[in-house]
Amino acid sequence: MASEIGRSGGERRGRMDRRQAAKPVANDQRAAEDRRTVLDRRLVADVAEEPGDPHPQLDAIVAHRCALSAQVGRDVGQEVASLDYLLNVRPGDQHPTVIDRAALADIEFRAMTDALTGLFNRGFLDAVLKRELARSRRHGVMTSLVLVDLDHFKDANDRWGHAAGDATLRGAADVIRRQLRAADAPCRYGGDEFAVVLPDTYRSGALLVGERIVTEVRRAFERGVGGVGLALTVSVGVSWYCAMSDTPEALLEAADRALYEAKAAGGDRVAESRCRTNAAPRSDSAAT
């Protein structure tokens, strides 16, 4: 059955499992915020401030955390990233001080999210793809990718203006987010294109997510958006980890080819990558 996916073989997601937050928050951030009753403190570096950027060193530590996490294949956390940056990247020229952890968490959240849609940004997409594919190689689990592109968005944007275009992008992002689990990573890939990384999800599950996104976007915008008659549909391309798509670049390229096929066929539909050989030990036929 199409719903029997992932290594457990059970239903991948249900209504209660879908993301309910107003905007995406990384799992470790959400857990930390739930636990926090008083302000925690974090040791970071105090350097000369630059105009318009009150915490330049914090931005550098956030970027170092993303890079270090991608390198080791898991999230290393704020403490490890901060200490590694101070001791190994910029040793000898730091003057540590104490700041609120909340300030660092806010900077980190803004550094990995898209300001318009509230989804994760392209930098986060690159990091999470590298991490999940490393996990697929190491542990034999499956990773899938869904690319979503708005149909005829440029023509509609030119006709109705950028305000309606921005409302359309925000609305589409909200619909996409509601179809996902907390473990999934919805990102703005660029322009009117979105990408969703689906950990522990086989081909059948990724196709199910793609079909759900197409249906729900069409339903949500059948009466228009932004106060104008701008009905919205999307095209979706799906790819998954396999022998021919075992790097972030290859996985994105495979999903992009599938997306092109969906748009060439008229849009408002899902197309899949032609890669059929899964690198994980479980065959795709066992997952469907």
Side-chain angles (χ1 to χ4, degrees):
M1 294 178 60
S3 61
E4 295 177 345
I5 53 186
R7 294 181 63 80
S8 66
E11 173 62 36
R12 179 177 182 273
R13 64 190 73 214
R15 289 184 180 273
M16 298 300 294
D17 197 28
R18 295 178 189 169
R19 183 185 306 267
Q20 299 295 324
K23 55 185 178 180
V25 181
N27 292 343
D28 60 337
Q29 287 181 272
R30 185 180 295 114
E33 290 174 359
D34 290 343
R35 292 193 303 266
R36 185 169 62 242
T37 57
V38 297
L39 281 177
D40 194 2
R41 300 283 177 172
R42 194 57 34 123
L43 186 68
V44 298
D46 179 25
V47 299
E49 297 182 353
E50 300 176 2
D53 188 0
H55 300 292
Q57 196 68 38
L58 300 186
D59 294 337
I61 291 175
V62 167
H64 183 62
R65 176 181 176 180
C66 291
L68 192 60
S69 297
Q71 184 177 359
V72 301
R74 60 178 177 80
D75 183 18
V76 298
Q78 294 173 342
E79 297 92 337
V80 173
S82 298
L83 290 173
D84 185 67
Y85 185 85
L86 294 175
L87 295 176
N88 298 319
V89 179
R90 295 287 299 276
D93 62 346
Q94 308 298 330
H95 303 284
T97 188
V98 174
I99 68 162
D100 291 335
R101 173 173 178 160
L104 183 59
D106 180 66
I107 291 172
E108 184 174 41
F109 179 78
R110 288 186 283 108
M112 64 184 183
T113 54
D114 173 64
L116 177 63
T117 64
L119 301 184
F120 294 114
N121 59 25
R122 175 63 188 273
F124 183 87
L125 171 65
D126 294 339
V128 76
L129 264 182
K130 185 174 182 180
R131 181 189 70 203
E132 291 302 323
L133 291 182
R135 198 167 66 90
S136 293
R137 286 189 293 271
R138 185 182 305 112
H139 301 296
V141 297
M142 181 53 65
T143 299
S144 293
L145 176 68
V146 171
L147 287 187
V148 182
D149 189 84
L150 277 59
D151 295 328
H152 311 296
F153 178 74
K154 183 179 185 303
D155 293 340
N157 196 49
D158 291 343
R159 178 180 179 184
W160 298 106
H162 292 292
D166 289 348
T168 300
L169 290 171
R170 286 191 294 267
D174 188 56
V175 173
I176 292 170
R177 184 188 298 117
R178 292 199 302 266
Q179 313 312 312
L180 306 175
R181 307 166 302 174
D184 301 332
C187 310
R188 187 179 181 189
Y189 188 39
D192 61 338
E193 195 168 358
F194 303 93
V196 183
V197 181
L198 305 173
D200 301 302
T201 304
Y202 279 77
R203 165 183 170 269
S204 55
L207 290 172
L208 182 65
V209 172
E211 293 286 358
R212 183 178 294 152
I213 289 173
V214 168
T215 299
E216 293 303 321
V217 167
R218 185 195 317 119
R219 181 178 301 167
F221 293 100
E222 61 186 358
R223 297 179 181 177
V225 63
V228 298
L230 179 57
L232 177 68
T233 62
V234 296
S235 298
V236 171
V238 174
S239 63
W240 56 91
Y241 175 71
C242 65
M244 299 300 293
S245 299
D246 60 351
T247 67
E249 297 78 12
L251 198 66
L252 283 166
E253 184 179 350
D256 194 59
R257 288 196 303 268
L259 178 62
Y260 179 82
E261 291 181 10
K263 296 188 78 68
D268 193 25
R269 69 192 65 210
V270 178
E272 61 179 301
S273 167
R274 299 185 184 279
C275 180
R276 297 286 181 178
T277 305
N278 290 337
R282 181 179 178 178
S283 67
D284 188 67
S285 60
T288 57

